Amino acid sequence: MQRNDYRQRDKGPATVPLTADTLLVQDSEPTRTTQGEEVMMLSARAGAYFGLNKVGSEIWAMLAQPRSVGEVCQALAQLYQVEADVLAAEVHAFLQQMLSNGLLRVPDPGELQRMSQGRSG
C-alpha cells in the first residue's frame, strides 16, 4: 500500500480509536476492481492507488456490510492459524490504515437503523 501523509486530516477518520466493538464498513468513494484474489482501489480523495493482498481482500469483502472489528478478527481466526494477539494487532493496524486513507468508515447510527429496517421489512 502507498503511504500517505495523514496529517492533512485533523478531525477525520484517523482519530477513531479502534476497539473490538467498533463498527466499520467500506466507503463508497474508491473505485475498485478485483483481479484473482486481490482487490485494487483508486481513491481520488486520498490521491493514491491501493492494492490489497488475499487477506486484505478478505477483510475488504467482509466489510461490504457493517461489522465490528471483533467479528473480523473472529472470522480470520477461523481461516488462519495465528495467535489471537498477533492477529488482533495486525488487523487493528490494517483497519486503522484503511480508515486513515478514507477507504473504510464508521457507519452513522441512522444508516445502521435504515439497514436493519431494510432487512426486516
Side-chain angles (χ1 to χ4, degrees), residues 9 13 42 47 64 90:
R9 296 180 184 220
L42 177 64
E90 291 187 12

Side-chain angles (χ1 to χ4, degrees), residues 5 18 29 39 41 44 63 76 89 93 101-102 108:
D5 183 1
L18 291 181
E29 185 270 335
V39 173
M41 293 179 273
L63 295 171
L76 291 173
N101 283 296
D108 65 68

Side-chain angles (χ1 to χ4, degrees), residues 55 73-87 90:
V55 177
C73 289
Q74 287 175 355
L76 291 173
Q78 292 177 2
L79 296 173
Y80 301 99
Q81 292 186 355
V82 63
E83 293 181 29
D85 56 337
V86 172
L87 180 108
E90 291 187 12

Side-chain angles (χ1 to χ4, degrees), residues 52-65:
L52 303 180
N53 64 18
K54 180 182 177 189
V55 177
S57 297
E58 289 171 351
I59 294 170
W60 177 258
M62 286 181 215
L63 295 171
Q65 296 295 320

